Amino acid sequence: MPDKYQIVVAGAGPGGCIFARDLARAGLDVVVFEKENRDALGHNWSDAVERIALQAIGIDVPAEDTVNRGPLVKKAGVADRPAAIFEEHAYPDMEVWAPDYCCKKEIQFRYITTDRRALAQLLVDQAMAAGVTFRFRQEVIAPVTAGGSSLSEISVTGIEVRDLETQRTTTVSASVTADDTGFASVLRTALPVETGIARPFTEDEFALVHRTVRKRDPAKIAGDRITDHYRYPYRTGYQWVQTLNEEEIDIGAGIKFNADTQGPQETVERFIARHPSITGTVVRGGGGRCLVGRSPYSLVAGGFVIIGDAGSQTIPMTGCGAGGAMIGGKLAAKAVISAAAEGKTDIAALWPYNLDWFVGSGRGANYAALTALRSILQKLPEESNAFLFKKDVFSGEMLTQSINGLFQAPTLPLMLKTFVRCLTRPGLLMQLNKATTLGTALYKHYQRYPANWNPDIFQQWCRTSDRLFSKAE
Ligand SMILES: Cc1cc2nc3c(=O)[nH]c(=O)nc-3n(C[C@H](O)[C@H](O)[C@H](O)COP(=O)(O)OP(=O)(O)OC[C@H]3O[C@@H](n4cnc5c(N)ncnc54)[C@H](O)[C@@H]3O)c2cc1C
C-alpha cells in the first residue's frame, strides 16, 4: 500500500463516498479508510432521504407520482444499479399530528424512503468505478498535523491507521485529509482545542432513535386502519409510522438523548400495543444516536475538510443527515478540486467549502437557525405544543419548512396571527418570540459568513455566533 496519496478520506459514509467519487472523477488520487467491512455499511433499515440531495449526486429518483399512489408499486431501481434502492413507499404528502392527536396538518415531505444498505453499496460502487481505492477494516486513529495549534497555523498532513486484522499501525500522508467518521468526528475532535473546531458534540445535541419494521397480519389490516404519519413535537422529539409495502410497516421514534421521559423504544412499543395488525415478527430495525446539533464554525483547516455528521450537516428538527452529508461531500470536493488546480491546500484555498455550505447552499444558515428554534421549542410542555397546533401557529406551511430543513423567518402577518391566537398565553408568546427572533438573527448572521479566510474577521464572527447560540440555552 502506498503511504502517500493526494486525498485521504476517513469513513465510507454517504458524505465520504461522494467526496471521494467526485475527486476521483476529477483525476485525483483518493483512498478511503473504513473500519467496517463493506457489507456492514449503512443501516439495516430504510431511511427518509432528501430527494433533492439524491438528485444532486446524480441519482435518478422516481417521480413522486410513481410511488405510493393507489396500489403500492415495486421498489424502483436506478440507472446504473439494477438492484433497487428505494422502498415502495414515498411521502409526497404527509400527515403531521399534534402530540395528543387532537389535530393534524398536511405537509409536503420532500424525502424518499431509501434502503440505506443498498444506497451504501451503490455509493461505494460509483466511487470504485471512478478510481477510488477503498481499504476496509482499517481504523483511523488520529490526524497527523504540522505547524502550530491555531486554525491559522495548523495543517493536517495525513492520518494514523490501524489494520484491524493485523493490529499494525501505519502513517499515511496526504495533501488533503477528510473526516467523514460520523458524529464521533474522530479526526476533528483530535485537533488542538486552540483551533476552535475540535469541540465534541454534547449530549444535548443528540436524539435517541429507535425503529422497527414489522410484519402485519393481513387478516387484521382492514379493521386496524393506520395512516402514514409523523407525531411532532412529541415527548421532546417525534414519532412516525409508514407502510413500506402490503406486508411491512415501519414504526419509529426519536427522542432527546437522555430525556427524562420514556425512551424511543418504549414509545414505539406503546404504539404497537394499540394496533392488533402489527405482529411481533421483526423484519429489520435498530437505532442509535442521531445528531441534531450544530456545526463547528469552520469545516476546513489547512489540508483538512469535515463532512457529514462529523460537521453536523444534519437537519436539526429530524436528525436526517444522509442528504446533508452527500451535499457536504459534493461541495467539499468542489472546493478541493479548485484548490488542487492551483496547487494549494491551505485554509484560504479550501475556504470556499465553508462559504458554499453556510451561505451558498443555504444549508448552514438554515440549520443554525433551526438549532436555536429546536432548542427553545423542545423545552415547551407538550400541552403548549398541542395548543399551538390547534391555533394553527404550528401550521402546515411552518412544519413543511422546518421538517424539510428550512427556517421560516416570521413575516409581519404571521407575527400578528401568532400574537392574536396566543394572547391568552403571554408566557408561551414570549418563548415563541424568543425562538423566532433568535432564529432570524442566526440566519442573518450566517448569511454574513466571512467571504474569505481572515483570522480576525472570522474570530469576530465566531464571538457573535457564540453570543447568539448562548441565548438559546
Ligand atoms: C437510528 C437512526 C436513524 C436515522 N434516520 C435517518 C433518516 O431517516 N434520514 C436521514 O437522512 N438520516 C438519518 N439518520 C442519520 C444518517 O444516518 C447520518 O446523518 C448519515 O449517515 C451521516 O453520513 P456521514 O457521511 O456523516 O457518515 P456516517 O453514515 O456516519 O458513516 C461514517 C462512517 O465512518 C466509519 N468510521 C467511523 N469511525 C471510523 C474510524 N475511526 N476509522 C475508519 N472509519 C470510521 C463508520 O464505520 C461509518 O461507515 C439516522 C441515524 C440513526 C442513528
Side-chain angles (χ1 to χ4, degrees), residues 151-397:
L151 200 57
S152 301
E153 299 161 333
I154 200 164
S155 172
V156 177
T157 58
I159 51 172
E160 276 178 38
V161 194
R162 180 170 33 233
D163 183 319
L164 291 174
E165 304 304 329
T166 64
Q167 297 302 316
R168 233 186 95 226
T169 301
T170 45
T171 301
V172 180
S173 315
S175 304
V176 176
T177 299
D179 188 351
D180 180 57
T181 55
F183 57 71
S185 337
V186 174
L187 296 178
R188 178 177 66 79
T189 55
L191 293 177
V193 281
E194 294 87 336
T195 57
I197 60 169
R199 178 185 74 91
F201 298 116
T202 64
E203 286 198 349
D204 262 2
E205 293 179 281
F206 287 99
L208 201 54
V209 178
H210 175 79
R211 73 196 307 158
T212 176
V213 178
R214 297 286 181 91
K215 286 275 181 207
R216 286 183 86 183
D217 180 346
K220 294 183 182 159
I221 289 179
D224 183 24
R225 189 166 173 276
I226 306 174
T227 52
D228 295 349
H229 68 270
Y230 252 70
R231 190 174 173 198
Y232 177 90
Y234 173 61
R235 294 194 183 278
T236 71
Y238 51 89
Q239 183 201 331
W240 74 83
V241 54
Q242 61 183 40
T243 309
L244 291 186
N245 53 50
E246 287 93 339
E247 296 173 349
E248 294 167 358
I249 192 159
D250 173 339
I251 312 112
I255 294 191
K256 190 171 180 296
F257 189 66
N258 255 353
D260 193 17
T261 57
Q262 72 186 30
Q265 189 157 358
E266 205 187 329
T267 302
V268 168
E269 295 299 340
R270 281 165 75 134
F271 182 87
I272 291 171
R274 293 199 302 275
H275 291 280
S277 68
I278 304 176
T279 71
T281 309
V282 177
V283 184
R284 291 182 287 159
R289 283 207 266 168
C290 209
L291 194 58
V292 288
R294 69 179 158 98
S295 298
Y297 295 147
S298 171
L299 298 172
V300 305
F304 187 59
V305 295
I306 307 160
I307 300 166
D309 279 14
S312 196
Q313 296 179 320
T314 55
I315 298 178
M317 293 318 205
T318 58
C320 288
M326 292 188 289
I327 297 287
K330 215 176 150 47
L331 297 176
K334 187 180 140 210
V336 172
I337 291 165
S338 303
E342 292 179 24
K344 293 180 178 168
T345 56
D346 57 275
I347 185 167
L350 298 176
W351 198 256
Y353 172 37
N354 274 335
L355 211 58
D356 271 349
W357 175 261
F358 290 116
V359 191
S361 70
R363 284 185 183 250
N366 276 295
Y367 292 6
L370 289 175
T371 305
L373 209 64
R374 177 188 60 78
S375 202
I376 295 170
L377 297 183
Q378 203 166 39
K379 292 178 196 127
L380 293 180
E382 214 140 284
E383 186 275 330
S384 300
N385 286 320
F387 174 83
L388 294 170
F389 257 84
K390 269 184 262 175
K391 294 287 178 186
D392 202 38
V393 171
F394 285 171
S395 64
E397 193 196 343

Side-chain angles (χ1 to χ4, degrees), residues 31-48:
V31 62
V32 178
F33 290 93
E34 164 59 53
K35 69 177 170 144
E36 299 293 343
N37 277 318
R38 179 177 171 156
D39 291 350
L41 295 180
H43 298 159
N44 184 23
W45 59 79
S46 290
D47 278 337

